[in-house]
């Protein structure tokens, strides 16, 4: 085998830049030796945790070995009741009514490729040489239970995935109350724990905290992977920063309630367990049955957070995304939601579409409100009959008209939900998730459908499929707008429902979208309420947030970028002032942030001035030239020493060019010159760095214009108001030629406006100003 080496009961798992070493010890327990920079099998003895003396107050595993105490060991798995008092990966209610369990090694198997799961989506390797799998089979010491610990190595992505599978041959049922995907014990190196937290319109904000003795849990309890705590977590060495230092990343290929516990033990070891949240979980396993856990994804980089992100991005691009759109450039879309909400007709839509086409938009998306009595969010969910008052020739007719304009057509669905005011509810109230004898709690005026029920799944699959097959639809937005409550199902025990819902969701997505790989699927849950690797196994992109204010989006997109590549993040330019923050931002900044994602526009184009139309046309045309790099290039983030300036950077794999977005949040008076650093280029090559032309509106200057112009005009007068619709000032033109080495070191930019006069090369940024820059290999002069 290429990437996994076995020497008796010692196993070395190698990726291009990392190594993972474990052994089966004399008691049959899998012991962890190392995860991090490359090491060899021969290093095992040195790396092993030393046991020399017994500790007081400890529980000894074996009578004749005073140093063997499970609580003190770095392990790969553990049980309950045998002296390990740290957070356990498994809790079983056994046939004798006890909880004590102890799994010991039986045999190991190596196999090429990835193993895949029968019930859950997971990572894949197209060629068996692209991955390698180690399966450790353990057996419970008393009961007929077998546990598989599965490790798959993805060498080029520097990723190891782990999952666990339990089989029962017990005559009486076993109840699983907790079953994690993985457990890892690392020696503590003063780690910080970094999580991505938030809520609706504030997804994925980064939070760092020192590890303290005890246990910190990053979890979701809302039924979805949630906007509160993304399943991705990081452990970073104290000095780690974006480009250097040791960083571990953990994530889960799962869309439901997740759970990652990080415990600092009295022996200064860090235990990380991750898997399905044990909250309200109780799964009955009968003889001959198997329970599979979702795959946990582990990576390590000594090149800081950016290094860790590169591993995750590569992993998602090559081992998670599927379908025809996996590696295809995403079209520039226009979504009608913020332009119309529920108030549209075919005529209004076509008017918007014609305007969009003129600007260069490639995909027109019709959002909520096209079916049943869906004229507000109080009615209609669950129904699929097209509202003929709004769309007289149906979805087919609208799709044809959009296609005839030269654009693709996309459609919004919210298939997991139901309004009580709907035909579906009137006919099948039993499809809704609610508890007999209790009034159900509503979220956005709706209930959820019970996806654990096969009849509900069939209803969704048949209805969505038939719409998709009747019209030329190449994009679907799959929405889901509430947390789960009133969890009860007549078809399965309550302890299985959260998980069975998610299994049902995966089945529905599989049945609808696998046979239709030409459809680009964007999943959405009130924005980023289900932004996870499980959904990415079906949807090639996810709507990151309902918040499109670019300054807010900086935090959100930056947060998600730790784990997910820009191509997976739906990012739109919307109206200013912004509908949620009332913040006014330049059109350039709205684009400069959204460009680092799958770009779309979501605003009423009729409200734009001629100059704004021209600007958007230029933005889209520029984006199309560089979108492959923006969407699939190597992504870096960094913040300038002043925390009000953020840079996103995408570098082409062949290092021929790069695109940067430099955004200033609040301006500082008399700010010093900024230095722009461009990483990832060829140090010896010669490049041209150019500011992408952009304009700043005259209105931004108000009465100050008199300092720039030779004559005085009233800021609110007719002339300036009219001029503002058709003219704007050039903002921050800049161009220079230099080496990749100089760009890496950092090149100085021109001054920003500081009120001492006007120069045509000034950066006229102010609050929320920004600029895109492109870096291109300078062509050698042709010899005469
Ligand atoms: C919530 C989504 O996040 C929005 O983009 C939009 O699709 C609405 N739902 C429609 O109801």
């Amino acid at each position: 085998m290429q990437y996994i080496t076995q020497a008796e009961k010692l196993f070395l798992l190698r990726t291009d830049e990392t190594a993972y070493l474990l052994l089966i010890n004399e008691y049959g327990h899998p012991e962890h030796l190392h995860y991090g920079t490359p090491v060899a099998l021969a290093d095992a003895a040195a790396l092993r945790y030393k046991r020399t003396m017994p500790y007081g107050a400890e529980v000894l595993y074996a009578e004749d070995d005073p140093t063997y105490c499970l609580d003190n060991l770095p392990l790969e798995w553990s049980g309950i009741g045998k002296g390990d008092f740290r957070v356990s990966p498994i809790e079983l209610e056994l046939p004798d009514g006890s909880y004590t369990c102890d799994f010991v090694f039986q045999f190991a198997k190596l196999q090429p490729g990835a193993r895949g799961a029968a019930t859950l989506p997971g990572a894949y390797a197209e060629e068996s040489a692209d991955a390698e799998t180690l399966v450790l089979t353990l057996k419970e010491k008393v009961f007929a239970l077998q546990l598989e610990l599965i490790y798959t190595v993805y060498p080029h992505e520097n990723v190891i995935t782990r999952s666990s599978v339990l089989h029962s041959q017990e005559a009486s049922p076993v109840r699983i109350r907790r079953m994690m995907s993985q457990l890892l014990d690392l020696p503590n190196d003063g780690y910080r724990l970094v999580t991505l937290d938030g809520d609706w319109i504030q997804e994925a904000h980064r939070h760092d905290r020192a590890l303290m003795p005890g246990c910190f849990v990053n979890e979701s309890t809302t039924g979805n992977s949630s906007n509160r705590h993304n399943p991705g977590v990081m452990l970073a060495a104290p000095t780690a920063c974006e480009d250097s230092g040791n960083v571990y990343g953990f994530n889960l290929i799962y869309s439901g309630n997740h759970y990652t516990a990080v415990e600092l033990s009295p022996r200064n070891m860090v235990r990380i367990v991750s898997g399905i949240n044990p909250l309200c979980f109780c799964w009955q396993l009968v003889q001959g049955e198997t329970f599979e856990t979702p795959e946990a994804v582990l990576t390590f980089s000594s090149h800081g957070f950016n290094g860790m992100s590169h591993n995750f991005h590569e992993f998602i691009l090559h081992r998670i995304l599927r379908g025809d759109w996996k590696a295809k450039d995403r079209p520039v879309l226009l979504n009608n939601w913020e332009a119309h909400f529920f108030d549209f007709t075919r005529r209004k839509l076509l008017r918007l579409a014609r305007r969009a086409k003129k600007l260069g938009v490639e995909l027109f998306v019709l959002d909520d409100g096209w079916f049943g009595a869906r004229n507000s969010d109080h009615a209609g969910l669950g129904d699929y009959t097209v509202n003929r008052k709004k769309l007289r020739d149906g979805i087919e007719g609208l799709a044809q008209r959009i296609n005839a304009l030269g654009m693709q057509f996309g459609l919004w669905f919210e298939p997991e939900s139901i309004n009580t005011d709907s035909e579906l509810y009137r006919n099948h109230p039993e499809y809704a998730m609610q508890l007999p004898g209790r009034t159900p709690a509503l979220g956005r005026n709706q209930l959820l459908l019970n996806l654990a029920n096969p009849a509900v799944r069939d209803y969704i699959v048949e209805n969505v499929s038939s719409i998709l097959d009747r019209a030329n639809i190449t994009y679907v937005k799959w929405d889901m707008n509430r947390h789960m409550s009133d969890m009860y199902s007549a078809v399965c025990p309550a302890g299985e429902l959260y998980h069975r819902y998610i299994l049902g969701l995966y089945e529905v997505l599989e049945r609808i979208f696998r046979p239709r790989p030409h459809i680009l699927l964007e999943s959405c849950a009130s924005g980023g309420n289900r932004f996870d690797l499980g959904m990415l196994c079906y949807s090639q992109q996810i709507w990151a947030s309902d918040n499109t204010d670019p300054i807010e989006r900086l935090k959100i997109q930056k947060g998600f970028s730790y784990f997910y590549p820009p191509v997976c993040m739906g990012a739109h330019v919307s109206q200013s002032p912004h509908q949620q923050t009332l913040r006014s931002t330049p059109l350039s900044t709205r684009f400069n942030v959204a460009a680092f994602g799958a770009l779309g526009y979501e605003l009423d184009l009729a409200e734009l001035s001629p100059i704004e139309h021209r600007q958007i046309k230029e933005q889209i045309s520029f984006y199309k030239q560089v979108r492959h790099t923006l969407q699939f290039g190597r992504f870096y983030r960094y913040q300038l020493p002043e925390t009000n300036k953020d840079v996103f950077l995408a570098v082409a794999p062949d290092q021929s060019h790069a695109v940067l977005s430099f955004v200033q949040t609040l301006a500082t008076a008399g700010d010093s010159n900024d230095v722009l650093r461009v990483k990832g280029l060829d140090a010896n090559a010669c490049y041209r760095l150019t500011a992408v032309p952009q304009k700043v509106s005259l209105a931004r200057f108000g009465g100050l214009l008199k300092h720039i112009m030779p004559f005085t005009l009233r800021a609110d007068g007719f002339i300036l108001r009219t001029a503002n619709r058709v003219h704007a000032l050039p903002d921050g033109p800049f161009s220079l030629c230099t080496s990749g080495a100089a760009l890496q070191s950092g090149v100085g930019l021109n001054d920003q406006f500081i009120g001492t006069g006007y120069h045509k090369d000034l950066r006229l940024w102010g609050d929320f100003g920004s600029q895109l820059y492109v870096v291109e290999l300078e062509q050698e002069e042709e010899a005469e």
Side-chain angles (χ1 to χ4, degrees), residues 1 4 109-116 128 131-135 148 150-152:
M1 289 279 170
I4 305 180
K109 219 170 88 190
L110 295 180
Q111 63 186 68
R115 189 168 105 152
S128 61
E132 208 168 303
T133 299
L134 162 69
V135 182
E148 289 179 308
I150 303 166
Y151 299 75
T152 300

Side-chain angles (χ1 to χ4, degrees), residues 337 367-368 412 444 477 479 481 524 526-527 543 546:
W337 176 243
D367 209 279
D368 198 352
W412 177 96
R444 205 192 180 198
K477 179 172 171 188
D479 206 347
N481 283 304
C524 165
S526 312
W543 180 226
D546 281 353

Side-chain angles (χ1 to χ4, degrees), residues 189-194 206 234-240 246-248 305:
D189 193 17
Y191 293 120
R192 271 177 291 152
L193 174 65
V194 185
R206 173 178 162 170
M234 296 164 263
L235 274 186
T239 54
N246 290 347
V247 181
Y248 294 89
F305 291 98

Side-chain angles (χ1 to χ4, degrees), residues 428-548:
H428 287 288
E430 78 283 7
Y431 281 9
M433 192 90 83
Q434 52 188 330
L435 266 157
R438 280 184 201 267
T439 308
L442 298 176
R444 205 192 180 198
N445 313 306
Q446 67 207 43
L447 299 172
L448 282 175
L449 288 169
N450 178 4
L451 267 66
N453 179 346
V456 171
R457 299 200 292 271
D458 289 347
Y459 174 82
I460 296 173
V461 172
E462 278 155 27
N463 281 283
V464 175
S465 303
S466 100
I467 300 228
L468 294 180
D469 293 340
R470 257 185 286 144
N472 187 18
I473 296 170
T474 54
Y475 164 102
V476 165
K477 179 172 171 188
W478 182 287
D479 206 347
M480 195 280 195
N481 283 304
R482 59 160 297 174
H483 300 321
M484 297 184 192
S485 69
D486 298 279
M487 296 303 282
Y488 167 82
S489 169
V491 301
C492 74
E496 300 186 2
L497 186 51
Y498 277 115
H499 185 51
R500 286 204 187 273
Y501 181 101
I502 297 297
L503 294 179
L505 169 66
Y506 290 147
E507 184 203 296
V508 164
L509 292 170
E510 182 83 33
R511 285 167 64 191
I512 298 175
F513 295 103
R514 286 289 176 255
R516 298 174 182 82
H518 63 284
I519 293 179
L520 171 60
L521 179 59
E522 176 155 356
S523 77
C524 165
S526 312
N529 194 24
R530 210 161 53 185
F531 206 119
D532 60 69
L533 295 172
M535 291 311 287
L536 287 175
C537 288
Y538 301 96
S539 65
Q540 296 81 7
Q541 57 191 57
I542 301 179
W543 180 226
S545 178
D546 281 353
N547 189 344
T548 45

